[in-house]
Amino acid sequence: MAERDLLLPRLRSGDTVTVTRFDRLFCSVQNLVIVGTDLRNRGIRLQAVEQNIDSNTLEGRDFFGMMSVFAALHHEFVRAATNDGLAAARARGKTGGRPPRLTPEQAEQAQQLYDSGTPIPKIAQTFKIGRSVIYGYITPKRP
């Protein structure tokens, strides 16, 4: 466990956390915004000596405001890149997730067994898969 994880819960309103640079305390801009906002809401002052940033000054509060905008922008970039990558993979015929455990023919056979009254554990045993998997392939009878 990092010292930071030991420090943050022990801080009280009126305390000041002083670091040489913010990268000594935060692992990302998003982490800076989240933890910095939490500290500010708890009444804890945050200072970075080399960067001359103090969360109690107007400039320091503005800095955190800008960082939150940058973190949101970064999040949008990551989401867009992820969606583009997924779309490109789908265009190449790739699909995400695990491969299906049953073929369409086996799924139909499992449904027929279920409809004929065969218990779920027996169906699962027939196809050598878990009971929970069978529930994903069958449509329960309506009363």
Coordinates of all heavy atoms in Angstrom, one line a residue, residues 54-124:
D54 N -1.4 26.5 -5.1 CA -2.0 26.4 -3.8 C -3.6 26.3 -4.0 O -4.1 27.3 -4.6 CB -1.6 27.6 -2.9 CG -2.1 27.5 -1.5 OD1 -3.1 26.7 -1.2 OD2 -1.5 28.2 -0.6
S55 N -4.2 25.3 -3.5 CA -5.7 25.2 -3.7 C -6.5 26.2 -3.0 O -7.7 26.4 -3.2 CB -6.1 23.8 -3.3 OG -6.0 23.6 -1.9
N56 N -5.8 27.0 -2.1 CA -6.6 28.0 -1.4 C -6.6 29.4 -2.1 O -7.3 30.3 -1.7 CB -6.0 28.2 0.0 CG -6.6 27.2 1.0 OD1 -7.3 26.3 0.6 ND2 -6.3 27.4 2.3
T57 N -5.8 29.5 -3.2 CA -5.8 30.8 -3.9 C -6.7 30.7 -5.1 O -7.1 29.6 -5.6 CB -4.3 31.1 -4.4 OG1 -4.0 30.1 -5.4 CG2 -3.3 31.1 -3.2
L58 N -7.0 31.8 -5.7 CA -7.9 31.9 -6.8 C -7.2 31.1 -8.0 O -7.9 30.4 -8.7 CB -8.2 33.3 -7.2 CG -9.0 33.5 -8.5 CD1 -10.4 32.9 -8.4 CD2 -9.1 35.0 -8.8
E59 N -5.9 31.4 -8.2 CA -5.2 30.7 -9.2 C -5.2 29.2 -9.1 O -5.3 28.4 -10.0 CB -3.7 31.2 -9.3 CG -3.6 32.7 -9.7 CD -3.8 33.6 -8.5 OE1 -3.9 33.2 -7.4 OE2 -3.8 34.8 -8.8
G60 N -5.0 28.7 -7.8 CA -5.0 27.3 -7.5 C -6.4 26.7 -7.8 O -6.5 25.6 -8.4
R61 N -7.5 27.4 -7.4 CA -8.8 26.9 -7.8 C -9.0 26.8 -9.3 O -9.6 25.9 -9.8 CB -9.9 27.7 -7.0 CG -9.9 27.4 -5.5 CD -11.1 28.1 -4.9 NE -11.1 29.5 -5.0 CZ -10.5 30.3 -4.1 NH1 -9.8 29.8 -3.1 NH2 -10.5 31.6 -4.3
D62 N -8.6 27.9 -10.0 CA -8.7 27.9 -11.4 C -7.9 26.7 -12.0 O -8.3 26.1 -13.0 CB -8.2 29.2 -12.0 CG -9.1 30.4 -11.7 OD1 -10.3 30.1 -11.4 OD2 -8.7 31.5 -11.9
F63 N -6.7 26.4 -11.5 CA -5.9 25.3 -12.0 C -6.7 24.0 -11.9 O -6.7 23.2 -12.8 CB -4.6 25.2 -11.2 CG -3.8 24.0 -11.4 CD1 -3.1 23.8 -12.6 CD2 -3.9 22.9 -10.6 CE1 -2.3 22.7 -12.8 CE2 -3.2 21.7 -10.8 CZ -2.4 21.6 -12.0
F64 N -7.3 23.8 -10.7 CA -8.1 22.6 -10.6 C -9.3 22.5 -11.5 O -9.7 21.5 -12.1 CB -8.6 22.4 -9.1 CG -7.5 21.8 -8.3 CD1 -6.7 22.6 -7.5 CD2 -7.3 20.4 -8.3 CE1 -5.7 22.0 -6.7 CE2 -6.3 19.9 -7.5 CZ -5.5 20.7 -6.7
G65 N -9.9 23.7 -11.8 CA -11.0 23.8 -12.8 C -10.5 23.4 -14.2 O -11.2 22.6 -14.9
M66 N -9.4 23.9 -14.6 CA -8.8 23.6 -15.9 C -8.4 22.1 -15.9 O -8.7 21.4 -17.0 CB -7.6 24.4 -16.2 CG -7.9 25.9 -16.5 SD -6.4 26.8 -17.0 CE -5.5 26.8 -15.5
M67 N -7.9 21.6 -14.9 CA -7.5 20.2 -14.9 C -8.7 19.3 -15.0 O -8.7 18.2 -15.7 CB -6.7 19.8 -13.6 CG -5.3 20.3 -13.5 SD -4.3 19.7 -14.9 CE -4.1 21.1 -15.9
S68 N -9.8 19.7 -14.4 CA -11.0 18.8 -14.5 C -11.5 18.8 -15.9 O -12.0 17.8 -16.4 CB -12.1 19.3 -13.5 OG -12.6 20.6 -13.9
V69 N -11.4 20.0 -16.6 CA -11.8 20.0 -18.0 C -10.9 19.1 -18.9 O -11.3 18.4 -19.7 CB -11.8 21.5 -18.6 CG1 -11.9 21.5 -20.1 CG2 -12.8 22.3 -17.9
F70 N -9.6 19.2 -18.6 CA -8.6 18.3 -19.3 C -8.9 16.9 -19.1 O -8.8 16.0 -20.0 CB -7.2 18.7 -19.0 CG -6.7 20.0 -19.6 CD1 -6.0 20.9 -18.8 CD2 -7.1 20.4 -20.8 CE1 -5.6 22.1 -19.3 CE2 -6.7 21.6 -21.4 CZ -5.9 22.5 -20.6
A71 N -9.2 16.5 -17.8 CA -9.5 15.1 -17.5 C -10.7 14.6 -18.2 O -10.8 13.5 -18.7 CB -9.7 15.0 -16.0
A72 N -11.8 15.5 -18.3 CA -13.0 15.1 -19.0 C -12.7 15.0 -20.5 O -13.2 14.0 -21.2 CB -14.1 16.2 -18.8
L73 N -11.9 15.9 -21.1 CA -11.5 15.8 -22.5 C -10.7 14.5 -22.7 O -11.0 13.8 -23.7 CB -10.7 17.0 -22.9 CG -10.3 17.1 -24.3 CD1 -11.5 17.2 -25.2 CD2 -9.4 18.3 -24.5
H74 N -9.8 14.2 -21.8 CA -9.0 12.9 -22.0 C -9.9 11.7 -22.0 O -9.8 10.8 -22.8 CB -8.0 12.9 -20.9 CG -7.2 11.6 -20.9 ND1 -6.3 11.3 -21.8 CD2 -7.3 10.5 -20.0 CE1 -5.8 10.1 -21.5 NE2 -6.4 9.6 -20.5
H75 N -10.9 11.7 -21.1 CA -11.9 10.6 -21.0 C -12.6 10.5 -22.3 O -12.8 9.3 -22.7 CB -12.8 10.9 -19.8 CG -13.8 9.8 -19.6 ND1 -13.6 8.6 -19.1 CD2 -15.2 9.8 -19.9 CE1 -14.7 7.9 -19.1 NE2 -15.7 8.6 -19.6
E76 N -13.0 11.6 -22.9 CA -13.7 11.5 -24.2 C -12.8 11.0 -25.3 O -13.3 10.2 -26.1 CB -14.3 12.9 -24.5 CG -15.4 13.4 -23.7 CD -16.6 12.5 -23.7 OE1 -17.0 12.0 -24.8 OE2 -17.2 12.3 -22.7
F77 N -11.6 11.4 -25.3 CA -10.6 10.8 -26.3 C -10.5 9.3 -26.1 O -10.5 8.6 -27.1 CB -9.3 11.5 -26.1 CG -9.2 12.9 -26.6 CD1 -8.2 13.8 -26.2 CD2 -10.1 13.4 -27.5 CE1 -8.1 15.1 -26.6 CE2 -10.1 14.8 -28.0 CZ -9.1 15.6 -27.5
V78 N -10.3 8.9 -24.9 CA -10.1 7.4 -24.7 C -11.4 6.7 -25.1 O -11.3 5.6 -25.8 CB -9.8 7.2 -23.2 CG1 -9.9 5.7 -22.9 CG2 -8.4 7.7 -22.9
R79 N -12.6 7.2 -24.8 CA -13.8 6.5 -25.1 C -14.0 6.5 -26.7 O -14.3 5.5 -27.2 CB -15.0 7.2 -24.5 CG -16.3 6.5 -24.9 CD -17.6 7.0 -24.2 NE -17.5 8.4 -23.7 CZ -18.3 8.8 -22.8 NH1 -19.2 8.0 -22.2 NH2 -18.3 10.0 -22.3
A80 N -13.7 7.6 -27.3 CA -13.8 7.6 -28.8 C -12.8 6.6 -29.4 O -13.1 5.9 -30.4 CB -13.5 9.0 -29.3
A81 N -11.5 6.6 -28.9 CA -10.6 5.7 -29.5 C -11.0 4.2 -29.3 O -10.8 3.4 -30.1 CB -9.2 6.0 -28.9
T82 N -11.5 3.9 -28.1 CA -12.0 2.6 -27.8 C -13.1 2.2 -28.7 O -13.1 1.1 -29.3 CB -12.5 2.5 -26.3 OG1 -11.4 2.8 -25.5 CG2 -13.0 1.1 -26.0
N83 N -14.1 3.1 -28.9 CA -15.2 2.8 -29.8 C -14.7 2.6 -31.3 O -15.2 1.7 -32.0 CB -16.3 3.9 -29.7 CG -17.0 3.8 -28.4 OD1 -17.1 2.7 -27.8 ND2 -17.6 4.9 -28.0
D84 N -13.8 3.4 -31.7 CA -13.2 3.3 -33.0 C -12.5 2.0 -33.2 O -12.7 1.3 -34.2 CB -12.2 4.4 -33.3 CG -12.9 5.8 -33.5 OD1 -14.2 5.8 -33.6 OD2 -12.2 6.8 -33.5
G85 N -11.8 1.5 -32.2 CA -11.1 0.3 -32.2 C -12.1 -0.9 -32.3 O -11.9 -1.9 -33.0
L86 N -13.1 -0.8 -31.5 CA -14.2 -1.9 -31.5 C -14.8 -1.9 -32.9 O -15.1 -3.0 -33.4 CB -15.2 -1.6 -30.4 CG -14.7 -1.9 -29.0 CD1 -15.7 -1.4 -28.0 CD2 -14.3 -3.3 -28.7
A87 N -15.1 -0.8 -33.5 CA -15.8 -0.8 -34.8 C -14.8 -1.4 -35.8 O -15.3 -2.1 -36.7 CB -16.2 0.7 -35.1
A88 N -13.6 -1.0 -35.8 CA -12.6 -1.6 -36.7 C -12.5 -3.1 -36.6 O -12.4 -3.8 -37.6 CB -11.2 -0.9 -36.5
A89 N -12.5 -3.6 -35.3 CA -12.4 -5.0 -35.1 C -13.7 -5.7 -35.6 O -13.6 -6.8 -36.3 CB -12.3 -5.3 -33.6
R90 N -14.9 -5.1 -35.4 CA -16.1 -5.7 -36.0 C -16.1 -5.7 -37.5 O -16.5 -6.7 -38.1 CB -17.3 -4.9 -35.5 CG -17.7 -5.3 -34.1 CD -19.1 -4.7 -33.7 NE -19.1 -3.2 -33.6 CZ -18.8 -2.6 -32.5 NH1 -18.4 -3.3 -31.4 NH2 -18.8 -1.3 -32.4
A91 N -15.5 -4.7 -38.1 CA -15.4 -4.6 -39.6 C -14.5 -5.7 -40.1 O -14.7 -6.2 -41.2 CB -14.9 -3.3 -40.0
R92 N -13.5 -6.2 -39.3 CA -12.7 -7.3 -39.6 C -13.3 -8.6 -39.3 O -12.6 -9.7 -39.4 CB -11.3 -7.1 -39.0 CG -10.5 -6.0 -39.5 CD -9.0 -6.0 -38.9 NE -8.9 -6.2 -37.5 CZ -8.9 -5.2 -36.6 NH1 -9.1 -4.0 -36.9 NH2 -8.8 -5.5 -35.3
G93 N -14.5 -8.6 -38.8 CA -15.2 -9.9 -38.4 C -14.9 -10.4 -37.0 O -15.3 -11.5 -36.7
K94 N -14.3 -9.6 -36.2 CA -14.0 -10.0 -34.8 C -15.1 -9.5 -33.9 O -15.7 -8.5 -34.1 CB -12.7 -9.3 -34.3 CG -11.5 -9.6 -35.2 CD -11.0 -11.0 -35.0 CE -9.7 -11.2 -35.8 NZ -9.3 -12.6 -35.7
T95 N -15.4 -10.4 -32.9 CA -16.4 -10.0 -32.0 C -15.8 -10.2 -30.6 O -14.9 -11.0 -30.4 CB -17.6 -11.0 -32.0 OG1 -17.2 -12.3 -31.9 CG2 -18.4 -10.8 -33.3
G96 N -16.2 -9.4 -29.6 CA -15.7 -9.4 -28.3 C -16.3 -10.5 -27.5 O -17.3 -11.2 -27.9
G97 N -15.8 -10.8 -26.3 CA -16.4 -11.7 -25.4 C -15.9 -13.2 -25.7 O -15.1 -13.5 -26.6
R98 N -16.4 -14.0 -24.8 CA -16.1 -15.5 -25.0 C -16.8 -16.1 -26.1 O -17.9 -15.6 -26.5 CB -16.5 -16.2 -23.7 CG -15.7 -15.9 -22.5 CD -16.1 -16.7 -21.4 NE -15.2 -16.5 -20.2 CZ -15.3 -17.2 -19.1 NH1 -16.1 -18.2 -19.0 NH2 -14.5 -16.9 -18.1
P99 N -16.2 -17.1 -26.7 CA -17.0 -17.8 -27.8 C -18.2 -18.5 -27.2 O -18.2 -18.9 -26.0 CB -15.9 -18.8 -28.3 CG -14.8 -18.8 -27.4 CD -14.9 -17.6 -26.5
P100 N -19.2 -18.7 -28.0 CA -20.4 -19.4 -27.5 C -20.1 -20.8 -27.1 O -19.3 -21.5 -27.7 CB -21.4 -19.4 -28.6 CG -20.7 -18.7 -29.8 CD -19.4 -18.3 -29.4
R101 N -20.7 -21.3 -26.0 CA -20.5 -22.6 -25.5 C -21.2 -23.7 -26.3 O -20.8 -24.8 -26.4 CB -20.9 -22.7 -24.0 CG -20.1 -21.8 -23.1 CD -18.6 -22.2 -23.0 NE -18.4 -23.5 -22.5 CZ -18.3 -23.9 -21.2 NH1 -18.3 -23.0 -20.3 NH2 -18.1 -25.1 -20.9
L102 N -22.4 -23.2 -26.9 CA -23.2 -24.1 -27.7 C -23.4 -23.6 -29.1 O -23.5 -22.4 -29.3 CB -24.6 -24.3 -27.0 CG -24.7 -24.9 -25.6 CD1 -26.1 -25.0 -25.2 CD2 -24.0 -26.3 -25.6
T103 N -23.4 -24.5 -30.0 CA -23.7 -24.1 -31.4 C -25.2 -23.8 -31.5 O -26.0 -24.2 -30.6 CB -23.4 -25.3 -32.4 OG1 -24.3 -26.4 -32.1 CG2 -21.9 -25.7 -32.3
P104 N -25.6 -23.1 -32.5 CA -27.1 -22.9 -32.7 C -27.9 -24.2 -32.6 O -29.0 -24.2 -32.1 CB -27.2 -22.1 -34.0 CG -25.9 -21.5 -34.2 CD -24.9 -22.4 -33.6
E105 N -27.4 -25.2 -33.2 CA -28.1 -26.5 -33.2 C -28.2 -27.1 -31.8 O -29.3 -27.6 -31.4 CB -27.4 -27.5 -34.2 CG -27.4 -27.1 -35.6 CD -26.4 -26.1 -36.0 OE1 -25.3 -25.9 -35.3 OE2 -26.6 -25.4 -37.0
Q106 N -27.1 -27.0 -31.1 CA -27.1 -27.5 -29.7 C -28.1 -26.6 -28.8 O -28.8 -27.2 -28.0 CB -25.7 -27.4 -29.1 CG -24.8 -28.5 -29.7 CD -23.4 -28.3 -29.2 OE1 -22.9 -27.2 -29.0 NE2 -22.7 -29.4 -28.9
A107 N -28.1 -25.3 -29.1 CA -29.0 -24.4 -28.3 C -30.4 -24.8 -28.6 O -31.2 -24.8 -27.6 CB -28.7 -23.0 -28.6
E108 N -30.7 -25.1 -29.8 CA -32.1 -25.5 -30.2 C -32.4 -26.8 -29.5 O -33.5 -27.0 -29.0 CB -32.2 -25.6 -31.7 CG -33.7 -25.9 -32.1 CD -33.7 -25.9 -33.7 OE1 -33.0 -25.1 -34.3 OE2 -34.6 -26.7 -34.2
Q109 N -31.5 -27.8 -29.5 CA -31.7 -29.1 -28.9 C -31.9 -28.9 -27.3 O -32.8 -29.5 -26.8 CB -30.5 -30.0 -29.1 CG -30.7 -31.4 -28.6 CD -29.5 -32.3 -28.9 OE1 -28.5 -31.8 -29.4 NE2 -29.6 -33.5 -28.5
A110 N -31.1 -28.0 -26.7 CA -31.3 -27.7 -25.3 C -32.7 -27.2 -25.0 O -33.3 -27.6 -24.0 CB -30.2 -26.8 -24.8
Q111 N -33.2 -26.3 -25.9 CA -34.5 -25.7 -25.7 C -35.5 -26.8 -25.8 O -36.5 -26.9 -25.0 CB -34.8 -24.6 -26.7 CG -36.1 -23.9 -26.6 CD -36.2 -23.1 -25.3 OE1 -35.4 -22.3 -25.0 NE2 -37.3 -23.4 -24.5
Q112 N -35.4 -27.7 -26.8 CA -36.3 -28.8 -26.9 C -36.3 -29.7 -25.7 O -37.4 -30.2 -25.3 CB -36.0 -29.6 -28.2 CG -36.3 -28.9 -29.5 CD -35.7 -29.6 -30.7 OE1 -35.0 -30.6 -30.6 NE2 -36.1 -29.0 -31.9
L113 N -35.2 -30.0 -25.2 CA -35.1 -30.8 -24.0 C -35.8 -30.2 -22.8 O -36.5 -30.8 -22.1 CB -33.6 -31.1 -23.6 CG -32.9 -32.1 -24.5 CD1 -31.4 -32.1 -24.2 CD2 -33.4 -33.5 -24.4
Y114 N -35.6 -28.9 -22.7 CA -36.2 -28.1 -21.6 C -37.7 -28.1 -21.8 O -38.5 -28.3 -20.8 CB -35.7 -26.7 -21.6 CG -36.3 -25.8 -20.5 CD1 -36.0 -26.0 -19.2 CD2 -37.3 -24.9 -20.9 CE1 -36.6 -25.2 -18.2 CE2 -37.9 -24.1 -19.9 CZ -37.6 -24.3 -18.6 OH -38.2 -23.5 -17.6
D115 N -38.2 -27.9 -23.0 CA -39.6 -27.8 -23.3 C -40.3 -29.2 -23.0 O -41.5 -29.3 -22.7 CB -39.9 -27.4 -24.7 CG -39.5 -25.9 -25.0 OD1 -39.4 -25.2 -24.0 OD2 -39.4 -25.6 -26.2
S116 N -39.5 -30.3 -23.2 CA -40.1 -31.6 -23.0 C -40.0 -32.0 -21.5 O -40.4 -33.1 -21.1 CB -39.3 -32.7 -23.8 OG -38.0 -32.8 -23.3
G117 N -39.5 -31.1 -20.6 CA -39.5 -31.4 -19.2 C -38.2 -31.9 -18.6 O -38.2 -32.2 -17.4
T118 N -37.2 -32.0 -19.4 CA -35.9 -32.4 -18.9 C -35.4 -31.4 -17.9 O -35.3 -30.2 -18.2 CB -34.9 -32.6 -20.0 OG1 -35.4 -33.5 -21.0 CG2 -33.6 -33.2 -19.5
P119 N -34.9 -31.8 -16.7 CA -34.4 -30.8 -15.7 C -33.1 -30.2 -16.2 O -32.3 -30.8 -16.9 CB -34.1 -31.7 -14.5 CG -34.7 -33.0 -14.7 CD -34.9 -33.2 -16.2
I120 N -32.9 -29.0 -15.8 CA -31.8 -28.2 -16.2 C -30.4 -28.9 -15.9 O -29.6 -28.9 -16.7 CB -31.8 -26.8 -15.5 CG1 -33.0 -25.9 -16.0 CG2 -30.5 -26.0 -15.7 CD1 -32.9 -25.5 -17.4
P121 N -30.3 -29.5 -14.7 CA -29.0 -30.2 -14.4 C -28.7 -31.3 -15.4 O -27.6 -31.5 -15.8 CB -29.2 -30.7 -13.0 CG -30.2 -29.8 -12.4 CD -31.1 -29.4 -13.5
K122 N -29.8 -32.0 -15.8 CA -29.6 -33.1 -16.8 C -29.2 -32.5 -18.2 O -28.3 -33.0 -18.9 CB -30.9 -33.9 -16.9 CG -30.8 -35.0 -17.9 CD -29.9 -36.1 -17.3 CE -30.0 -37.3 -18.3 NZ -28.8 -38.2 -18.1
I123 N -29.8 -31.4 -18.6 CA -29.4 -30.7 -19.8 C -28.0 -30.3 -19.8 O -27.2 -30.5 -20.7 CB -30.4 -29.5 -20.1 CG1 -31.8 -30.0 -20.3 CG2 -29.9 -28.8 -21.4 CD1 -32.8 -28.9 -20.3
A124 N -27.6 -29.7 -18.7 CA -26.2 -29.2 -18.5 C -25.2 -30.4 -18.6 O -24.2 -30.3 -19.3 CB -26.0 -28.5 -17.2

